[in-house]
Structure formats: C-alpha cells, structure tokens
Amino acid sequence: MTNLQLVTEWDKTFPKSDKVEHKKVVFHNHYGFTLAGDLYTPKNALGKLAAIAVCGPFGACKEQSAGLYAQEMAERGFLTLAFDPSFMGESSGEPRNMASVDINTEDFSAAVDFLSVQDNVDPEKIGIIGICGWGGMALNVVSMDTRIKATVTSTMYNMSRVNANDYFDAMDEDGRYALLQRLNKQRTEDYKENKTTYPGGVADPMPEAAPWYFHDYHNYYKTERGYHARSANSNEGRVDTAKLGFINTPTASRSSEIRSAVLMIHGDRAHSCYFSKDEFKKLKSDNKELLLIPNASHTDLYDKKDIIPFDKIESFFKTYLK
C-alpha cells in the first residue's frame, strides 16, 4: 500500500468528544488505492461491536460531515469509520479530486473489508451511512454487497442523475450533447497540455443571483462552519471531466433488489429532496423507511446536531445490527 502522510493532530470541523477513542487508519481497495480513515471507538467498550462506515458529502473530506456522524454514532455505542474516498482528502489517487461511480462504490466495500477483520467488530453487524452524493453510492453498494446489513442515507444525491440531467432534470438531450462536447474538448486540451482542469468548488463570494441552494452550500463549505483545506468543495472542486463517467453510468440501478434495511433521511425544504423521494419508490419490503425532516434544508443535515435525527439513526441500527 502507498505510504500516506496523515495529519495526526485534531483538525476536524467539529469538536473532539471525550467519550470515544480516535485514531487514524489506512486500508486498501480492490483497485490498489490506499484509503485514509478515522476510526472512532466508544471508550471502555467490551466485546465485538456493531460497526458503521461513513462517507460523504460528495467532494467533502472525512473531517467534515462524515466525521461528525461517525463520532456521534461512536458515542452511541458503535465502532465507526469515517473515510476519504479514492483521490480525495488524505487517500491516494491521481489526479486529485477525481471521482468514479465504480471506484467510489468499491471504496465503500473496501471500508466493509477493513471493518470485517477488526478484532473488536462483529462482521455480521456492519452498516453504512452515505451523506449527500455518497447516499447514492450507499444504495449502489448495498445492492451488491450482502455483508452490509443496514444502510442510512442522509440528504441523498444521485450523482449520475444530476450530472446527466442537471438540477431538477432540467437538461434535455440537446443540452446533454452540448455538455458532452464541452467536456470532451476539455479532455483533448488537458491531454495536450498535460494538465487537469478543475472547475472550482463552491463559489466565493457567491453571486447574489445564484439559486438559494447554492448559498446553502456556501454557508457550509466556505465559512468557518464547514471549510476544510482538504475538501474539494471548499477549494478547487472535483476534476471537471469526471462528469463524463457519471453521465454514462447509472447509480443505484438495482435498488429494487436491496433486501437489507434502508433508512432514507432528507429535509423537506431541501432542493434535493426529490432524489430521496424518487429512489425510495424503487425500494421494496417493509424494512425500508423515508424520513422527511420538517423545514430542513440540504446542508442542515450536514452538521446541525439539533436537526439530524441521531436518535432515529441509533434506533434503526440497533434494530437491524443485532
């Protein structure tokens, strides 16, 4: 595995809990990338624990929302792993901030690999939490990885759908063709000049005329509340031409075949709420639930602990990871 240079001091966007033990870990996926994670273990925990892998939002790093969720769930008795996906944060992969439906889905399974072999984890009691775009990845992986017994998606985005169709499915076939032309022209230019083009993360300052939900992102990624130096969304953004793979590769195409338990959580005021509502319709059986949080926006579920329904998440995992 690649030797990563991991930051050892606490540099999260949330305060450190005195109720859990924290340490940096590394593990690898099937593509040979080395992934960096933060492992949170309840203090004085005994025996084999139920475990949860956490990732997201898309373009964020584990020091942001994923770590907050992981630490909170560790306080509630679970061993948790917040990790950076391939190409992102402290994990390996070039070019930086690249993304792939296939590789990122594998990253979740690699996290399950890691958790499954820990001495203090019960491998039959592993769940996952996917936030924002990683909610879509969570549905993608759980439709094939039968080791995952319970899944929570929070403020879920289907990244394939939004890249192919734009927000609210507003882009038609002609618009998509024009986008493909632009991205493929960019590929040629990047190759010719041996460079990688980044479109920029969240704009700063955010134009007043921008849609309200862009301001919602700015209030998280570009302020003291959520900014982090290793977050793509807080800085240069993701590789521009990565959109091509998402346009042509559906996410969660076999959601209807998921047999394990799924809890989908979304703010009913979030611009993105239609993603969860539509994906939930594909799920079958009585161990699936859609929970809409009144008056919550998309990023409210990133870090607002008075809005994120952690009691419900705890109850869900204790029900299905037993």
Side-chain angles (χ1 to χ4, degrees), residues 219-260:
N219 290 338
Y220 180 76
Y221 285 110
K222 287 294 189 176
T223 68
E224 185 179 354
R225 171 186 166 197
Y227 175 85
H228 199 280
R230 291 192 295 277
S231 165
N233 292 342
S234 290
N235 296 285
E236 70 271 27
R238 301 183 300 275
V239 175
D240 199 17
T241 52
K243 296 183 182 75
L244 286 165
F246 284 86
I247 289 170
N248 212 40
T249 308
T251 304
S253 59
R254 295 194 180 275
S255 292
S256 63
E257 299 180 14
I258 297 172
R259 298 189 183 187
S260 58

Side-chain angles (χ1 to χ4, degrees), residues 91 237 276:
S91 292
S276 285

Side-chain angles (χ1 to χ4, degrees), residues 6-314:
L6 303 181
V7 174
T8 56
E9 67 269 15
W10 187 265
D11 64 345
K12 321 301 183 193
T13 59
F14 51 90
K16 187 175 183 179
S17 171
D18 60 3
K19 299 177 182 178
V20 304
E21 300 288 350
H22 163 263
K23 70 174 182 177
K24 288 289 186 77
V25 298
V26 294
F27 55 100
H28 65 278
N29 68 16
H30 278 186
Y31 291 100
F33 295 109
T34 302
L35 306 184
D38 287 303
L39 196 66
Y40 298 88
T41 307
K43 283 188 175 179
N44 303 315
L46 299 174
K48 290 184 176 292
L49 304 177
I52 303 169
V54 190
C55 198
F58 206 77
C61 60
K62 65 186 181 304
E63 287 72 25
Q64 296 172 309
S65 300
L68 182 146
Y69 273 71
Q71 181 174 262
E72 177 69 25
M73 296 311 295
E75 287 186 347
R76 293 165 182 261
F78 300 90
L79 183 145
T80 61
L81 172 67
F83 66 93
D84 286 324
S86 299
F87 308 103
M88 297 279 183
E90 293 184 295
S91 292
S92 71
E94 296 291 340
R96 300 308 298 162
N97 300 345
M98 189 56 168
S100 159
V101 175
D102 193 25
I103 295 173
N104 293 153
T105 300
E106 160 60 22
D107 289 338
F108 246 142
S109 280
V112 175
D113 291 341
F114 174 82
L115 291 173
S116 296
V117 300
Q118 301 308 302
D119 291 339
N120 56 347
V121 169
D122 184 337
E124 297 300 318
K125 299 178 181 179
I126 295 178
I128 60 173
I129 298 174
I131 307 164
C132 187
W134 277 83
M137 294 298 175
L139 293 179
N140 209 43
V141 70
V142 76
S143 67
M144 69 171 187
D145 195 330
T146 58
R147 300 172 300 173
I148 300 168
K149 299 303 190 293
T151 299
V152 170
T153 69
S154 182
T155 200
M156 193 272 285
Y157 248 72
N158 183 320
M159 296 306 299
S160 295
R161 180 176 176 181
V162 74
N163 277 293
N165 302 335
D166 207 354
Y167 294 102
F168 312 111
D169 300 323
M171 185 163 57
D172 60 14
E173 185 176 332
D174 289 339
R176 186 161 45 253
Y177 187 75
L179 174 61
L180 292 171
Q181 287 181 307
R182 181 186 73 77
L183 292 172
N184 281 292
K185 180 180 179 181
Q186 187 66 61
R187 280 195 63 141
T188 301
E189 292 175 358
D190 286 355
Y191 191 83
K192 184 185 300 182
E193 299 177 24
N194 192 29
K195 66 181 180 68
T196 302
T197 298
Y198 297 92
V202 175
D204 186 34
M206 180 62 65
E208 285 298 321
W212 70 268
Y213 47 91
F214 282 22
H215 291 273
D216 197 30
Y217 286 124
H218 182 277
N219 290 338
Y220 180 76
Y221 285 110
K222 287 294 189 176
T223 68
E224 185 179 354
R225 171 186 166 197
Y227 175 85
H228 199 280
R230 291 192 295 277
S231 165
N233 292 342
S234 290
N235 296 285
E236 70 271 27
R238 301 183 300 275
V239 175
D240 199 17
T241 52
K243 296 183 182 75
L244 286 165
F246 284 86
I247 289 170
N248 212 40
T249 308
T251 304
S253 59
R254 295 194 180 275
S255 292
S256 63
E257 299 180 14
I258 297 172
R259 298 189 183 187
S260 58
V262 177
L263 171 62
M264 303 187 71
I265 303 166
H266 223 113
D268 70 358
R269 193 171 67 84
H271 71 283
S272 52
C273 193
Y274 69 99
F275 288 117
S276 285
K277 288 179 177 178
D278 288 354
E279 290 300 324
F280 183 73
K281 292 174 185 176
K282 301 176 185 177
L283 304 178
K284 299 176 180 178
S285 74
D286 58 3
N287 61 353
K288 314 294 189 289
E289 182 177 354
L290 174 62
L291 176 62
L292 299 181
I293 308 301
N295 301 313
S297 74
H298 183 84
T299 64
D300 283 345
L301 296 184
Y302 280 9
D303 65 332
K304 295 188 176 179
K305 294 177 67 173
D306 59 331
I307 295 177
I308 302 168
F310 279 119
D311 288 346
K312 174 67 176 181
I313 296 172
E314 176 186 358

